[in-house]
Amino acid sequence: MSGGRRLWWDDCDGSDYPEEEFRKEFRMTKSTFELVCSELRSVISEDDDEDIPVKKRVAVCIRRLATAEPFRLVSKRFGLSIPTCRESVIVVCSAIRNVLMPKYLRWPDKNSLRKTKQEFEAISGIPNVVGSISTTHIPATPPSSPSPAAYFNKKQTEQNGKASYTVTLQGVIDQNGFFTDVSIGWPGSMSDAQVLQKSALFQRANGGLFTGVWVVGSKGYPLMDWVLVPYNRRRLTWTQHGFNEKISEIQRVAKEACRRLKGRWFCLQKNSDFKLQDLGFVVGACCVLHNICEMRGDGFDSDHWGFEFVVDEDEDEEEEEEEMAGEVESRSVSSMEARDAIAHNLLHHACY
């Protein structure tokens, strides 16, 4: 398709291409890009019909995830047809989610959990915290049937002034900002509490995964024996207010991770015209690539990447979610008592 002319990708793939420029175009260093290619080389076959190297297919995918630029521009940059570029994104994202996710996005082992608890306690004073949970929304094209209304996002529609449809990404994040568990693709009309109850994480928790430990969430989540949330009342005591401030310090870790995820992979901020069944692979791949880049210390520089990141409004501010949280809270006496004890201990330690 290139007709013999030198392509943009040919320059990027050159050994003398500046490292900083490469990171700007692909949101990762050259060495990280080569790592991803080597990890995927055995599972992505080269296209014999068009003689497309695996490295080029991976580059097409990562460029599209990073910038969300139209496929017609990606096509010109790489000298490939639009359908081939689109196919490459889905194939590579599927491989990343299926092959790399078990390696780079997984629940920590006992030693890692011990360190996680220590570091979260150092941040907040709250013991036995193994993760910070947050739900963010990804723009989506709703299905024509059976129920497009399920994906309608009321809050974003009011903010944007036009109909907005989303899917959810629920993530548990450790003290380093790495995703350790994700649940992807539930309709955007669902509350944080509803998404949690549909997730595999919830089922594993019922199986005893979180005995004696906490996952910390915002007030949109229910207070449970393993989910620790702020006090959700209009008038708080000094003890409750102090507890909420410490909870917000842990929640800030999750919010920052979601900010960096969406800031690095701009496709998560725009309706990128993927089908719903493919969008789950795209979002999952972005979470895995986020972890890889963060683990390897690749810089985050959205100011020079040219994109403005818009922070999600907290979905948990909606009245119906507050009512739901209150209902669950009133039935969980043991977790209410445990939270009160933690709040009391925090105030006690703060006085000495």
Side-chain angles (χ1 to χ4, degrees):
M1 180 176 172
S2 62
R5 60 184 173 82
R6 187 168 180 82
L7 299 166
W8 174 88
W9 165 243
D10 294 331
D11 291 332
C12 293
D13 194 33
S15 58
D16 58 345
Y17 194 73
E19 176 70 49
E20 198 59 32
E21 286 298 311
F22 188 92
R23 193 166 66 86
K24 179 180 177 182
E25 304 293 358
F26 294 96
R27 309 298 188 263
M28 60 177 59
T29 60
K30 289 183 179 182
S31 61
T32 298
F33 175 78
E34 292 293 345
L35 170 70
V36 173
C37 290
S38 65
E39 294 268 20
L40 296 177
R41 192 160 280 120
S42 62
V43 294
I44 298 178
S45 60
E46 299 196 1
D47 193 315
D48 295 331
D49 294 334
E50 297 190 51
D51 192 26
I52 306 172
V54 169
K55 186 177 184 180
K56 192 171 187 178
R57 290 165 76 89
V58 173
V60 167
C61 176
I62 292 179
R63 174 66 186 182
R64 170 66 174 177
L65 299 183
T67 65
E69 66 183 8
F71 276 110
R72 59 181 174 80
L73 295 182
V74 178
S75 170
K76 291 179 180 178
R77 290 183 185 279
F78 290 88
L80 301 172
S81 68
I82 291 176
T84 298
C85 289
R86 186 182 293 273
E87 179 200 22
S88 292
V89 172
I90 301 305
V91 168
V92 174
C93 282
S94 299
I96 290 173
R97 181 167 177 180
N98 292 333
V99 177
L100 299 189
M101 184 175 282
K103 182 175 182 179
Y104 292 102
L105 198 164
R106 59 187 179 185
W107 194 252
D109 58 25
K110 288 184 178 180
N111 289 334
S112 297
L113 282 179
R114 188 180 301 111
K115 185 176 182 180
T116 295
K117 288 189 284 188
Q118 290 172 348
E119 295 195 19
F120 271 129
E121 185 168 4
I123 292 171
S124 65
I126 299 176
N128 299 318
V129 174
V130 295
S132 181
I133 189 170
S134 184
T135 298
T136 189
H137 286 253
I138 311 298
T141 301
S144 55
S145 64
S147 55
Y151 296 86
F152 181 73
N153 189 309
K154 179 181 177 183
K155 182 173 283 289
Q156 287 195 9
T157 296
E158 292 173 350
Q159 291 171 355
N160 300 335
K162 62 180 181 180
S164 297
Y165 298 87
T166 63
V167 297
T168 58
L169 163 62
Q170 173 189 280
V172 178
I173 294 96
D174 71 7
Q175 77 281 7
N176 297 311
F178 305 157
F179 286 84
T180 57
D181 184 90
V182 291
S183 178
I184 300 167
W186 291 105
S189 64
M190 293 173 62
S191 69
D192 291 355
Q194 290 170 328
V195 173
L196 175 64
Q197 291 173 1
K198 291 286 189 180
S199 67
L201 181 76
F202 189 84
Q203 303 304 321
R204 288 157 56 205
N206 288 340
L209 175 66
F210 297 116
T211 303
V213 297
W214 298 105
V215 172
V216 170
S218 65
K219 62 185 179 182
Y221 294 96
L223 177 66
M224 304 174 68
D225 290 336
W226 58 280
V227 181
L228 191 62
V229 300
Y231 289 96
N232 188 15
R233 302 168 188 167
R234 292 186 182 277
R235 296 178 181 175
L236 300 176
T237 66
W238 185 254
T239 301
Q240 292 167 344
H241 178 73
F243 173 85
N244 281 6
E245 286 189 336
K246 295 300 184 181
I247 283 285
S248 69
E249 292 176 8
I250 298 176
Q251 267 287 284
R252 195 172 295 120
V253 175
K255 299 295 183 184
E256 174 64 10
C258 290
R259 186 187 77 85
R260 292 170 74 91
L261 172 75
K262 287 185 169 182
R264 190 185 298 273
W265 309 116
F266 192 60
C267 68
L268 301 182
Q269 294 191 52
K270 292 186 65 177
N271 191 337
S272 51
D273 71 17
F274 290 112
K275 297 178 181 178
L276 274 180
Q277 60 265 36
D278 294 329
L279 187 57
F281 288 108
V282 172
V283 177
C286 289
C287 292
V288 174
L289 292 172
H290 164 91
N291 278 7
I292 292 174
C293 290
E294 295 286 323
M295 289 173 183
R296 291 177 59 82
D298 287 11
F300 180 82
D301 192 9
S302 58
D303 290 341
H304 292 93
W305 292 344
F307 298 121
E308 178 183 358
F309 175 68
V310 180
V311 179
D312 285 343
E313 291 292 332
D314 282 340
E315 305 297 325
D316 52 37
E317 291 180 359
E318 295 184 18
E319 181 180 351
E320 59 195 22
E321 290 189 12
E322 291 183 0
E323 291 175 356
M324 176 179 293
E327 290 173 2
V328 175
E329 191 174 76
S330 66
R331 293 196 300 267
S332 184
V333 176
S334 62
S335 56
M336 292 176 68
E337 292 175 346
R339 181 173 64 178
D340 287 343
I342 293 172
H344 175 78
N345 289 336
L346 287 173
L347 182 64
H348 176 77
H349 288 308
C351 294
Y352 293 94

